[in-house]
Amino acid sequence: MKRARSRRTGGFKSTPEPKRVNAAVSREPRENVAYCPPPDELDNSTPQLKHLGGSKSDQWNLMLCNHVIRTAWYGRNPQPGKDLDDKRTAILAFLAGVNPSDTIEGMMAAQLFASHAAAIECYRRAMLADQSVEGRQMNLTLAAKLTRANAEQAAALSKYRGKGQQKVVVEHVHVYQGGQAIVGQVALGGSGKISEAQPHAIGYAERAPLRCEDKEQEREAVSVAGNA
C-alpha cells in the first residue's frame, strides 16, 4: 500500500496499488480459443478415426463423419433406434471402405457419398406416385447431373491416389517367325537388319526372300493373251 498526502488534513491516506498482470498467466489459452495442433513431425498422437477421415486429428475425422451422416436421407420422421443406428453405421462403413490416407482423400470420400446420396434422393423423388411430369423430369435431370459428378469424383480420387506413377504404353508390337519383338514401324536395310535410325526397335527380324537370287535358275514362261 502507498501513502498519499491529503490536501485537506495534511495527513496520509492509503491508496491501492495498481493491479499487476502476470505475463505467464496472460499467455495461457482460454476456453473459447481454438487449439492449434502440432505439425506432423511433432505429432505423436495416435488417432482412432483416421481410417474414416484421413487426418491425424480425431476432431477433424469426427466432424467429417458428422457431415457425411447429415447428407443421407432417413425418411420424413426418423425415429431413434436400431434402424437409424444401422443406417449411420452403414455410412461409416463406406468411409472405412474408402480408407482415406490423408485429409484430401477424406474430403473426396465425403463428397463422393454426398453426391451419391443426392442422386439417389432425386431418383426417389422422380418415382413418387403423385409426382407431376415436370417435377419428374426435373428430378431425373438433376439425378443425371449428380451421377456424372459422382463418376468424376471417383475418377479424381483414383487419379489423386495414383499420383507419381509412370505409365508405359507399348503400341504396334509385331513378332515375326525366327526373330524377336519389334516395336513400331521398322525399316529394313540392305542387309536385312534394323536401321540405326530406329532406336525404339528391339531386336531384329529376318527378311523373307522376295525373289530367287539364283540367276542361272530357269524361269517358267507365262502365257499372255494375244489381245492383251
Side-chain angles (χ1 to χ4, degrees):
M1 301 291 289
K2 292 184 178 180
R3 294 182 179 274
R5 184 180 295 274
S6 175
R7 294 181 179 179
R8 293 181 180 180
T9 60
F12 292 88
K13 64 178 181 179
S14 299
T15 57
E17 295 182 356
K19 184 180 294 184
R20 297 180 180 179
V21 179
N22 190 352
V25 177
S26 63
R27 288 195 298 267
E28 293 181 357
R30 295 174 296 177
E31 294 182 357
N32 58 347
V33 177
Y35 168 72
C36 181
D40 292 343
E41 58 271 12
L42 300 179
D43 189 4
N44 297 324
S45 61
T46 304
Q48 299 180 356
L49 303 177
K50 185 177 180 180
H51 62 291
L52 300 178
S55 174
K56 288 186 176 182
S57 173
D58 274 341
Q59 284 80 2
W60 162 264
N61 298 327
L62 185 61
M63 182 183 69
L64 185 71
C65 292
N66 290 328
H67 287 172
V68 176
I69 288 175
R70 294 190 186 101
T71 61
W73 168 258
Y74 304 102
R76 294 185 179 274
N77 297 313
Q79 299 297 327
K82 184 177 183 303
D83 182 64
L84 183 60
D85 294 340
D86 290 343
K87 292 179 180 179
R88 292 173 175 173
T89 303
I91 297 175
L92 297 179
F94 166 79
L95 295 176
V98 177
N99 192 17
S101 60
D102 54 18
T103 54
I104 302 299
E105 292 188 5
M107 290 189 296
M108 288 184 176
Q111 296 170 8
L112 191 63
F113 178 83
S115 60
H116 165 75
I120 294 301
E121 175 62 16
C122 290
Y123 282 125
R124 187 191 68 84
R125 290 177 179 270
M127 295 297 107
L128 292 178
D130 56 348
Q131 185 67 264
S132 62
V133 177
E134 293 79 7
R136 178 169 300 180
Q137 181 65 30
M138 180 185 65
N139 282 289
L140 290 176
T141 302
L142 293 176
K145 292 181 179 180
L146 290 168
T147 303
R148 289 193 297 268
N150 185 265
E152 292 176 357
Q153 290 167 350
L157 178 59
S158 178
K159 183 179 179 181
Y160 180 81
R161 285 184 167 179
K163 58 184 178 180
Q165 297 182 0
Q166 297 181 355
K167 183 178 180 180
V168 179
V169 180
V170 179
E171 299 179 352
H172 305 296
V173 179
H174 307 280
V175 180
Y176 295 91
Q177 184 177 4
Q180 298 179 358
I182 301 175
V183 182
Q185 298 180 355
V186 180
L188 298 178
S191 60
K193 296 183 179 181
I194 302 299
S195 175
E196 295 181 358
Q198 301 288 337
H200 58 278
I202 302 175
Y204 67 94
E206 294 181 357
R207 182 178 61 176
L210 301 178
R211 55 182 299 179
C212 182
E213 298 180 358
D214 191 358
K215 298 181 180 179
E216 297 179 1
Q217 184 177 359
E218 295 181 359
R219 300 178 182 180
E220 296 180 359
V222 179
S223 59
V224 181
N227 58 352

